[in-house]
Every structure is written in structure tokens, then in C-alpha cells.
Amino acid sequence: MIEQINLLKDEINNLTAESAQDAENLRIKYLGKKGVITALFNDFKALDGEEKRTLGKPLNELKTLATEKITLLKESASMKPDESILAIDLTRTAAPMPLGTRHPLTIVRNEITSIFSRLGYTIAEGPEIEDDWHVFSALNFAEDHPARDMQDTFFISRGPDVLLRTHTSSVQTRVMEHSQPPIRIICPGRVYRNEAISARAHCFFHQVEALYVAENVSFADLRQTLMYFAQEMFGPETKIRLRPSYFPFTEPSAEMDISCNLCGGKGCSFCKHTGWVEILGCGMVDPNVLDACGIDSKKYSGFALGMGVERITNLKYQVKDLRMFSENDKRFLEEFTSAH
Ligand code: DAH
């Protein structure tokens, strides 16, 4: 029996276990009810006194050795990291976080307002749901005057006097009603018109309006402001041209063209071979408008200008179809990641 005990000691010293389950199987094999060591203890009972005396100690040592070894194997098996953790590459750099991008119209609107803020203009905002007075009447659109048809209006069924603003010139009215010159404001915002949606027209779009009212404001001031804006927005080579036009709220009124920023004025399909593209309307504030808003038109004069943000964005980024701006197609929006 002593040989068997010594063999088992060697065997047990060399045991290994891959998992806690392996270790448990070993426990059953050696120390379980029908285990090898348990069997030796049964045999031991049948031995005579002399044999018992010589074999008792080594047999107990064998049992202690087996118990300790198997417990140790169990512990180290349960401490082994699980395979799925080993599969993670801890040296890999963190994945880049996908950041959202600004909408192209927001980028351009911010650029416009920042150019005007450098000239001392502050931002003014007003409601999109308006009334006739602020959108039309105060701005010198006579009732039943065909000029009202220039802007197809959405009326809200609550009454003929509730409508969606057709231009941000309504914010001019609101500011002039509540403040006295000098007034120098820029009014960005969304406007609505009852138009069929196509590549070139939409039922809502965005405008930025600027208004300057003070003593002795002249057309020369307007022209200089326009020039500064155009060159800041489209580059120092940009030329401007003013054409006479008509708006009820300005007198005289003009439309401004810039030299085509694609061909530099030589003529291309974008500018229909004229070398010029139209970008905004402007003029000297009609004295009737100043008076309607409680500003003394004998003492003060002013100029106003208004532009479409989509139009300016098209010029800067050649977006061919207006509908792209409101479709929220990520592929389109992500093209503007690097622009501010
Ligand atoms: N409100 C005009 C429009 O929506 C744009 C405009 C033209 C604004 C001339 C102005 C201006 O302030 O002076 O068509």
C-alpha cells in the first residue's frame, strides 16, 4: 500500500485543471465516495495494528495533499479571465465619436449675422405666426394693393388677421414700434409662402433682414454696407451692382447683384452668361413706414435689406435643389462637416 500511496502523491502533485469543473472532477476521482483515496481508507480499516501504525500517517498526508491541491486548482481555475475579455484589444485607441454637423443653412446664417455684427448690428427676432399689420400694413402695403400678391400668404383659419410671416421684415416693424433710433438690427428667421414645392421654390425658407435707422443715413451708407457684406461673404474680388426695383417699404428700392462667384464675372451657365447673380433686395426705408412705427421721418432716415439664406447658400455651395435643405439626408448634411 505504501507504494500506491507514494505513486498517488506524485500523481497528485502533478495534477492540473483548466476549469473549476475539471478540478471538481478530480475531487470526485480522488476524494469522492468512490474515490481512489477513499478506497484506500476502506482498505486501511482491514489492516492489522502494526500496518495501521506505519501506514496511518502517509495515508493521512496523502488525503491532506489531495484536498489542498484540488482546492488550489479550483481557486486558480476560477480566477482565470474569461476568453471573451482576452479577445478585447486593450491597446486599441478609442473609437472616434461621431459628431453631428451644423446644417448648411445654419452655417451660412451664422456667417451673415457675424459679418453684420462686426458692423455693430445686433440680432432681433420675432414670431413666425404674425398679423397683417406687422407683415404688410405697417410696411406700406396698402390694402388691396397688388404688391400683396408678390408674396403668396398662408392665412391661418382662426381669422384673416392671423398669418404665417412671408418675410422677416415683420421684425423691423416690431423693433421700430418699441424703440427709437439709432436702430441697427439683423433679423434672421424662417418665413412661409404658399408656393408649390419644387427644386426652385419651397413653402418655407429662411431670410436675413437688416435695418439701420439713425440721423442722416444715406444711400451711400447702404451701398458701402452692401459692398462690405458682399466682399466678406464672397471674397475681396467680388463686385456689386444695384438695379432699380420696387418694394412697398423702401423708396428708392434696389436689387443687388454680385459678380458671379463661379466664373468671376466672365459668364457661365450658373449666371446664365451674364456674369452677375442676384442676391438681395434693399432700399431706403419709406418715410411712411417710419411714421407708421412711431419714428419721426423728418428727423430720421434709414435703409433696409433682405436676403434669402437658401439663395446665398446655393451661391456658396452650389446646392441645385432647394428640397435638399429640408430632407435631412445625412449624406447631404455630412458634406458640410468641414465648413465651420
Ligand atoms: N422682404 C423682401 C422679400 O421678402 C426682401 C426685402 C427687400 C427686404 C428689400 C428689405 C428690402 O428690407 O429693403 O421679398
Side-chain angles (χ1 to χ4, degrees):
M1 186 184 273
I2 188 72
E3 276 161 28
Q4 210 181 342
I5 291 175
N6 288 335
L7 278 175
L8 278 171
K9 277 186 180 170
D10 283 348
E11 193 177 312
I12 286 168
N13 272 326
N14 294 323
L15 286 180
T16 56
E18 282 296 309
S19 64
Q21 187 56 51
D22 283 356
E24 174 61 12
N25 291 343
L26 292 174
R27 191 193 64 76
I28 294 167
K29 178 176 172 193
Y30 292 100
L31 300 165
K33 269 196 184 142
K34 294 180 182 160
V36 184
I37 296 173
T38 318
L40 283 179
F41 270 90
N42 287 337
D43 295 347
F44 179 80
K45 282 181 201 152
L47 297 177
D48 62 29
E50 180 57 33
E51 281 173 316
K52 274 187 179 159
R53 227 165 294 131
T54 48
L55 289 175
K57 198 169 171 236
L59 191 55
N60 272 322
E61 280 172 2
L62 175 66
K63 189 177 180 185
T64 311
L65 177 73
T67 312
E68 284 176 1
K69 176 76 185 182
I70 290 170
T71 310
L72 207 72
L73 287 176
K74 251 188 201 168
E75 277 172 10
S76 57
S78 64
M79 270 162 54
K80 267 192 190 154
D82 107 34
E83 287 296 316
S84 62
I85 292 178
L86 288 179
I88 297 174
D89 177 3
L90 297 173
T91 62
R92 216 181 86 180
T93 49
M97 290 250 283
L99 286 181
T101 56
R102 282 200 202 289
H103 193 281
L105 294 177
T106 307
I107 295 169
V108 170
R109 183 204 62 198
N110 289 349
E111 210 171 331
I112 299 169
T113 51
S114 107
I115 293 170
F116 278 92
S117 72
R118 275 177 253 147
L119 293 172
Y121 288 72
T122 51
I123 290 179
E125 285 179 323
E128 293 180 9
I129 301 175
E130 265 291 8
D131 52 36
D132 177 275
W133 170 256
H134 291 97
V135 176
F136 295 124
S137 298
L139 290 168
N140 206 33
F141 284 81
E143 209 156 314
D144 300 327
H145 191 283
R148 289 189 185 222
D149 295 341
M150 285 162 74
Q151 305 183 353
D152 276 328
T153 309
F154 281 118
F155 290 94
I156 291 175
S157 56
R158 221 195 290 163
D161 197 32
V162 188
L163 48 94
L164 297 179
R165 67 181 178 194
T166 53
H167 55 181
T168 47
S169 306
S170 56
V171 184
Q172 277 190 32
T173 320
R174 289 188 174 270
V175 171
M176 284 196 284
E177 276 176 342
H178 295 111
S179 43
Q180 284 295 311
I183 294 171
R184 211 175 334 198
I185 52 160
I186 182 110
C187 322
R190 180 173 288 182
V191 301
Y192 300 84
R193 290 193 196 173
N194 192 357
E195 306 241 12
I197 297 170
S198 70
R200 301 173 55 91
H202 211 294
C203 60
F204 66 81
F205 54 98
H206 301 80
Q207 288 188 332
V208 177
E209 175 95 9
L211 172 75
Y212 177 38
V213 183
E215 283 181 51
N216 302 319
V217 176
S218 71
F219 201 91
D221 297 324
L222 169 60
R223 199 178 187 289
Q224 188 57 38
T225 305
L226 292 171
M227 179 82 130
Y228 176 77
F229 168 71
Q231 295 189 340
E232 288 291 294
M233 193 77 203
F234 296 102
E237 306 301 318
T238 311
K239 294 187 189 57
I240 66 167
R241 171 173 94 169
L242 292 172
R243 283 179 288 105
S245 185
Y246 172 76
F247 300 103
F249 36 89
T250 44
E251 183 58 37
S253 304
E255 270 166 314
M256 179 173 99
D257 299 338
I258 59 164
S259 50
C260 176
N261 62 317
L262 283 193
C263 63
K266 286 191 209 76
C268 65
S269 61
F270 189 72
C271 59
K272 302 197 188 83
H273 303 283
T274 62
W276 297 95
V277 284
E278 182 192 321
I279 69 162
L280 55 77
C282 59
M284 301 306 291
V285 181
D286 193 302
N288 286 346
V289 174
L290 295 176
D291 291 334
C293 298
I295 289 175
D296 184 354
S297 62
K298 299 210 175 53
K299 190 166 174 206
Y300 298 109
S301 56
F303 65 70
L305 58 101
M307 67 188 96
V309 181
E310 279 80 353
R311 172 105 190 119
I312 307 279
T313 310
N314 286 348
L315 288 178
K316 281 209 91 149
Y317 300 112
Q318 287 85 52
V319 179
K320 294 269 153 49
D321 190 329
L322 264 185
R323 290 169 291 196
M324 307 276 279
F325 289 124
S326 49
E327 278 169 356
N328 283 339
D329 184 331
K330 269 185 86 200
R331 292 167 301 179
F332 170 70
L333 297 174
E334 280 168 359
E335 284 188 36
F336 299 87
T337 319
S338 57
H340 300 271

